Amino acid sequence: MLNTVLNTFIFVALPYVALAMLIVVTPYRYYSNRLTWSAYSTQFLERKTLYWGANPWHYGIIPIILAHTLGVVAPGAMKSLLGNVEVLVFLESVGLGLGLFALFGCVVLLLRRVNAPMLKRVTYPADWVLLILLTFQTLTGVYISLFMRWGSQWYLHTAVPYLYSLLYFNPKVEYLADFPLILKLHAAGAFLIVALLPFTKLVHLLYWPLDFLKDPPILYRWRSRPEGKVE
């Protein structure tokens, strides 16, 4: 009974709530208050740790997201590609490395916010929740990659058909109902991140910034105290 309730919540209620939040809240925020759309630049407040956090995070997580997306967009091609054992082992190994790289960057970014008092002033509760969720999501992904091998293969035969069933408003929970708890938590984390996305500064990733290419560069100047002046 408890397992059925958990499956219904994670695989039926949560994805549709997340999708509704994304569709309704995102355009409302975009047209009601554009000033909150972009992420604040914190490089001026702290830059050394940002370098070691942002680069590993972006270079690690973006290929992983693309790989997940390709499995949904082109499942046939991915099945043919992963049908080769050597390719499967190679891609699984690369995926694990990217996951560890992203996890390192995410942990650094989280600790950066914790240890820099000035950053806490521009970090809101939703941002803390999102950072913790991203860290948890990456950690569970690395765990799955380490201890439940060949996830890219069974992902195509379980998660992908389930995601398509969501689009047809006929969620096939049976594809994922017997998954271990860690996999269900990984799925729940993904839906929660999508639901929270419109409420955080990370929503700027949904904007295609082609217009920014036409903008002139912004020049920043530091205001320094004149030499010899005593206050």
Side-chain angles (χ1 to χ4, degrees):
M1 179 63 182
L2 182 61
N3 191 48
T4 302
V5 173
L6 181 65
N7 288 336
T8 302
F9 172 74
I10 294 177
F11 299 121
V12 180
L14 201 55
Y16 287 120
V17 170
L19 186 61
M21 292 291 187
L22 190 67
I23 293 175
V24 175
V25 178
T26 301
Y28 172 78
R29 182 179 171 189
Y30 181 81
Y31 290 109
S32 64
N33 192 353
R34 287 284 300 277
L35 293 177
T36 66
W37 185 267
S38 297
Y40 302 142
S41 175
T42 60
Q43 186 175 1
F44 296 107
L45 303 177
E46 196 286 326
R47 66 190 322 177
K48 183 180 293 185
T49 311
L50 176 63
Y51 175 85
W52 291 106
N55 285 319
W57 166 250
H58 285 94
Y59 289 127
I61 202 64
I62 290 175
I64 291 175
I65 294 175
L66 289 176
H68 282 71
T69 304
L70 280 174
V72 177
V73 175
M78 291 299 293
K79 288 177 183 177
S80 300
L81 181 66
L82 297 176
N84 185 302
V85 177
E86 289 79 10
V87 173
L88 176 61
V89 173
F90 172 76
L91 292 179
E92 286 276 327
S93 302
V94 171
L96 176 58
L98 291 171
L100 290 170
F101 201 44
L103 179 61
F104 171 80
C106 199
V107 170
V108 169
L109 292 175
L110 181 59
L111 294 177
R112 173 176 177 263
R113 295 277 177 173
V114 172
N115 295 322
M118 294 186 68
L119 291 179
K120 292 181 181 179
R121 300 176 185 177
V122 294
T123 305
Y124 299 98
D127 300 320
W128 286 116
V129 174
L130 184 62
L131 271 172
I132 293 171
L133 269 176
L134 289 173
T135 304
F136 173 81
Q137 188 70 3
T138 313
L139 181 61
T140 55
V142 169
Y143 180 92
I144 293 168
S145 183
L146 274 172
F147 300 105
M148 301 176 181
R149 301 308 305 272
W150 324 128
S152 55
Q153 184 68 270
W154 48 256
Y155 168 80
L156 294 171
H157 298 278
T158 54
V160 170
Y162 158 75
L163 291 173
Y164 273 106
S165 72
L166 288 178
L167 295 178
Y168 294 116
F169 296 98
N170 183 28
K172 301 290 187 181
V173 181
E174 59 269 20
Y175 279 111
L176 308 176
D178 296 327
F179 269 18
L181 180 61
I182 188 68
L183 290 166
K184 294 180 181 180
L185 292 176
H186 189 68
F191 295 135
L192 286 172
I193 290 170
V194 172
L196 189 62
L197 192 64
F199 299 95
T200 68
K201 294 187 286 289
L202 195 61
V203 73
H204 74 279
L205 66 84
L206 300 176
Y207 181 67
W208 192 251
L210 292 180
D211 290 338
F212 293 152
L213 298 176
K214 298 181 294 183
D215 294 340
I218 300 175
L219 178 63
Y220 290 95
R221 291 188 177 95
W222 287 104
R223 295 185 60 185
S224 58
R225 182 182 303 173
E227 293 184 5
K229 183 177 180 180
V230 179
E231 296 183 356

